[in-house]
Amino acid sequence: HAMSVLATSVPPTFDLGLLLINNPNPLDPASTRGPELEPYLAAVARENAQSLLSEIWQRLPAERVEDAVVAPLPPPSTPLPREKPPPKPKPPSRWEEFARLKSIRRNKKEQAVWDEATGEWRPRWGYGRADPSKEWLLEVPASADPNEDQFGRLKKEKKERVAKNELQRLKNISRNMRLGGTLPALSAGGGGATSSSKELKRALVVAKRSDASVGQFSAKVGGEKVGHLQGRRRHFLPNTGSLTAERGIQEQVLKELAARRTDPLNTERAVNRLQQQREQSGDAANAVNGRRRPQKKKTAGKVSTEGGKSRRQNARDSKSRKYKKAAASGRANQKMKSLMKSKTLGKRK
Amino acid sequence: MRPLTEDETKAVFEKLSKFIGDSLTALLNRADQQYCLRLHRCRVYYAPEPTMKRAANVQRKQLLSFGTCLGKFTKSNKFHLQVTALDFLAPYAKHKIWLKPSAEQQFLYGHHVTKAGLGRITDATPQYAGLVVYSMSDTPLGFGVAAKSTLQSRKADPMALVCFHQADIGEYIRSEATLFG
């Protein structure tokens, strides 16, 4: 085909970030019929690909990375359609509805508050705040029962407030779910990325240690497996004081060890007794053999060769032969022989 | 200094029970004084409670030892018994082995016990059981592991090993620098 498809035509546009060439020119109607279709289409594709690659190498600065020449692509300029539908807006909670109706707006508060008692500026929340529950002295109001525990009352009220807040929060969540929303994202999960169980576990670990005592006293959630080295601190029993907890652990370990013992009847001892009785009764078939021919010493880790031995092995053999000769005639052997003659070696307890 | 965790207690008791078996309870529930196990710088110490309390008043870096050191935990958390525990293993030992005078010196230098050095061995010792090694005059020399059971050791030839050496009282001189950290 001598016809160039790009001769009198609109120049193509490029989106190099997506490796996209946009050639708006229509296909030649004469060539799309009959047997010329396939070769024509192949030619069109080839020319477009050629112009895309030449555009890449012309337009972009080339770099050298180790042995290759590389052109970094620019960010894509073509907007792609959404993969998933857009998220639905969250329905407002009961408070948000109320605030909207009454046009209550949020007042931005400063962090520091003047504390009259200590005469200094204190943060409104967090470390170093003027906590009424940490007061050393509480006045009993005139209207209250003089025998009532004021500190306990404050604690109880705080607990009730916290519980009420938690209840409202859960109600909001359940209303959202009922109206077709999703569960709120966990703050420790990285903004909604809690799809896998691994991420959920990670979020649980982070949440548990996000309190003042770094999770030391957090109770175990049902089915939770805590790694023995998880968390920054290990918790040990106190050194002095009552030893009951320690004793408890020791008793438990002893019980486990006792349970593991598989042979309460001591069959080994029974077999030994039987063997001794047989030997003493002079049963020839079951008697212990006389002094067997001593076996060659095997060296650990050395593979024994079939035929020829190495020089080292020969040297060792000769040494062992020397010792065997000495042993054969020495006092040790006489003692051994006398011991073998006597019926039992082990002293019965 | 701190009490042992459950895993550490298990490791220590397993090792001890290999040598003394059920008599482990006699070590823990003593009539005279309350004894306790403490971990200090990777070593396990067995001491009466008043001693332990006094030792707790010493700075950690400067506390060398208190009570009896039973053994140490290695870097990979395995427990090794040391010869300093011999005083508590010897009276309650389940399986014992007596060495001939000729083999005593070999054992005290750290070598294994061969059949030729074997004087007596407790009946019905299974293979790889914990053994406490005595001299013929009933002095505890150390402890080790039975390389062969009693039956097997009777049929073995003189150069075969019957007891693998683990600790001996010669270590008080040989390993003086490392016994107490």
Side-chain angles (χ1 to χ4, degrees):
Chain A
H1 278 271
M3 177 166 57
S4 165
V5 294
L6 294 178
T8 52
S9 50
V10 180
T13 52
F14 298 90
D15 182 358
L16 293 177
L18 292 173
L19 290 180
L20 174 72
I21 172 170
N22 214 334
N23 191 341
N25 301 297
L27 295 175
D28 179 26
S31 313
T32 50
R33 293 193 199 99
E36 301 168 347
L37 173 64
E38 287 300 322
Y40 174 64
L41 289 178
V44 168
R46 195 195 64 76
E47 298 224 12
N48 282 326
Q50 182 66 63
S51 60
L52 172 66
L53 287 171
S54 55
E55 181 72 16
I56 286 174
W57 292 114
Q58 266 175 22
R59 194 56 59 88
L60 303 176
E63 292 167 9
R64 214 184 168 80
V65 174
E66 283 173 19
D67 293 339
V69 182
V70 160
L73 297 177
S77 54
T78 318
L80 292 173
R82 286 184 77 92
E83 185 192 337
K84 292 197 172 87
K88 281 176 242 173
K90 230 173 36 160
S93 64
R94 276 172 63 96
W95 166 254
E96 281 169 1
E97 244 338 283
F98 180 77
R100 190 177 64 84
L101 289 171
K102 294 274 187 145
S103 60
I104 298 170
R105 240 153 273 157
R106 302 199 68 170
N107 297 328
K108 226 171 147 67
K109 295 180 188 132
E110 279 156 26
Q111 200 189 350
V113 182
W114 177 252
D115 182 27
E116 196 57 58
T118 49
E120 59 184 19
W121 290 93
R122 276 231 175 131
R124 188 184 290 274
W125 38 264
Y127 177 74
R129 70 183 182 279
D131 197 349
S133 62
K134 291 203 172 69
E135 292 288 317
W136 65 275
L137 179 74
L138 279 178
E139 289 177 5
V140 177
S143 55
D145 175 21
N147 291 331
E148 190 191 359
D149 177 16
Q150 295 301 317
F151 296 99
R153 180 180 61 87
L154 281 183
K155 269 197 174 158
K156 206 155 60 87
E157 283 174 0
K158 171 145 189 169
K159 268 196 176 163
E160 283 167 9
R161 269 181 278 137
V162 168
K164 176 177 178 264
N165 187 285
E166 182 68 17
L167 184 67
Q168 308 283 47
R169 188 180 74 91
L170 293 173
K171 273 190 184 169
N172 283 335
I173 292 172
S174 73
R175 194 189 322 111
N176 276 354
M177 299 291 284
R178 209 170 0 105
L179 298 175
T182 50
L183 284 170
L186 297 167
S187 59
T194 50
S195 45
S196 75
S197 69
K198 215 197 264 186
E199 281 157 355
L200 268 178
K201 280 177 190 165
R202 177 75 196 146
L204 176 64
V205 165
V206 172
K208 278 183 94 167
R209 71 163 187 237
S210 307
D211 60 7
S213 54
V214 207
Q216 265 184 13
F217 307 111
S218 303
K220 237 166 86 157
V221 176
E224 179 193 340
K225 275 188 233 167
V226 184
H228 68 286
L229 289 178
Q230 213 167 52
R232 249 193 310 162
R233 283 166 165 208
R234 289 200 294 165
H235 198 55
F236 298 121
L237 291 170
N239 191 21
T240 48
S242 139
L243 298 178
T244 45
E246 218 182 301
R247 278 279 172 269
I249 290 178
Q250 285 173 352
E251 299 287 325
Q252 200 186 340
V253 171
L254 283 174
K255 243 193 265 181
E256 276 176 38
L257 283 182
R260 252 197 262 168
R261 203 155 295 131
T262 47
D263 184 16
L265 294 175
N266 205 343
T267 48
E268 175 108 17
R269 178 169 259 159
V271 164
N272 284 358
R273 284 266 166 83
L274 196 63
Q275 188 78 359
Q276 282 169 5
Q277 281 168 14
R278 282 193 185 151
E279 285 158 17
Q280 279 172 353
S281 66
D283 191 343
N286 292 331
V288 177
N289 287 335
R291 188 161 156 269
R292 274 186 296 156
R293 197 175 302 131
Q295 289 169 353
K296 288 232 164 67
K297 265 199 287 197
K298 281 208 171 75
T299 57
K302 193 172 169 71
V303 177
S304 57
T305 55
E306 259 318 307
K309 292 188 213 157
S310 65
R311 241 182 338 139
R312 271 200 187 161
Q313 188 62 35
N314 274 330
R316 275 203 208 94
D317 279 356
S318 69
K319 266 193 187 170
S320 63
R321 256 181 270 134
K322 196 167 63 169
Y323 288 141
K324 276 174 209 162
K325 250 198 208 170
S329 57
R331 255 185 317 153
N333 195 35
Q334 306 299 331
K335 269 198 182 167
M336 280 302 307
K337 281 192 179 158
S338 63
L339 276 171
M340 292 307 287
K341 281 195 193 135
S342 71
K343 298 298 166 44
T344 58
L345 187 62
K347 184 161 186 175
R348 237 176 275 143
K349 262 196 115 165
Chain B
M1 188 195 313
R2 62 166 173 85
L4 304 177
T5 60
E6 195 175 329
D7 294 330
E8 289 162 353
T9 317
K10 205 188 290 190
V12 172
F13 282 8
E14 266 179 18
K15 261 290 153 62
L16 285 174
S17 68
K18 276 197 189 145
F19 291 91
I20 60 182
D22 289 325
S23 311
L24 198 47
T25 47
L27 274 188
L28 297 172
N29 306 326
R30 284 172 76 132
D32 50 350
Q33 260 180 335
Q34 186 84 303
Y35 273 70
C36 58
L37 287 169
R38 286 289 180 270
L39 190 79
H40 173 61
R41 301 181 92 185
C42 295
R43 280 167 206 270
V44 176
Y45 294 96
Y46 174 69
E49 206 190 329
T51 311
M52 182 270 294
K53 281 187 177 163
R54 289 199 186 89
N57 289 332
V58 181
Q59 279 185 24
R60 273 182 210 178
K61 276 191 192 161
Q62 296 180 350
L63 180 64
L64 190 59
S65 175
F66 62 99
T68 315
C69 175
L70 292 181
K72 63 185 265 194
F73 277 96
T74 62
K75 282 272 179 347
S76 55
N77 288 331
K78 296 197 180 35
F79 182 67
H80 286 178
L81 267 179
Q82 286 184 332
V83 68
T84 42
L86 188 60
D87 289 334
F88 295 103
L89 296 184
Y92 303 110
K94 270 202 305 187
H95 306 290
K96 304 179 186 179
I97 187 173
W98 286 262
L99 297 187
K100 290 188 216 163
S102 51
E104 266 175 50
Q105 201 67 358
Q106 287 283 297
F107 183 74
L108 289 178
Y109 269 95
H111 299 292
H112 303 301
V113 179
T114 55
K115 173 74 183 300
L118 175 65
R120 292 198 315 240
I121 185 169
T122 320
D123 203 19
T125 310
Q127 199 180 19
Y128 308 131
L131 286 177
V132 177
V133 178
Y134 292 82
S135 70
M136 283 321 259
S137 51
D138 281 330
T139 325
L141 295 175
F143 52 86
V145 175
K148 295 181 158 50
S149 66
T150 314
L151 270 182
Q152 287 173 336
S153 59
R154 287 167 58 200
K155 297 176 191 169
D157 53 278
M159 299 309 291
L161 297 177
V162 294
C163 173
F164 295 126
H165 167 283
Q166 277 189 346
D168 65 90
I169 52 179
E171 277 180 25
Y172 281 111
I173 299 170
R174 288 197 326 267
S175 323
E176 200 180 337
T178 53
L179 256 189
F180 295 103

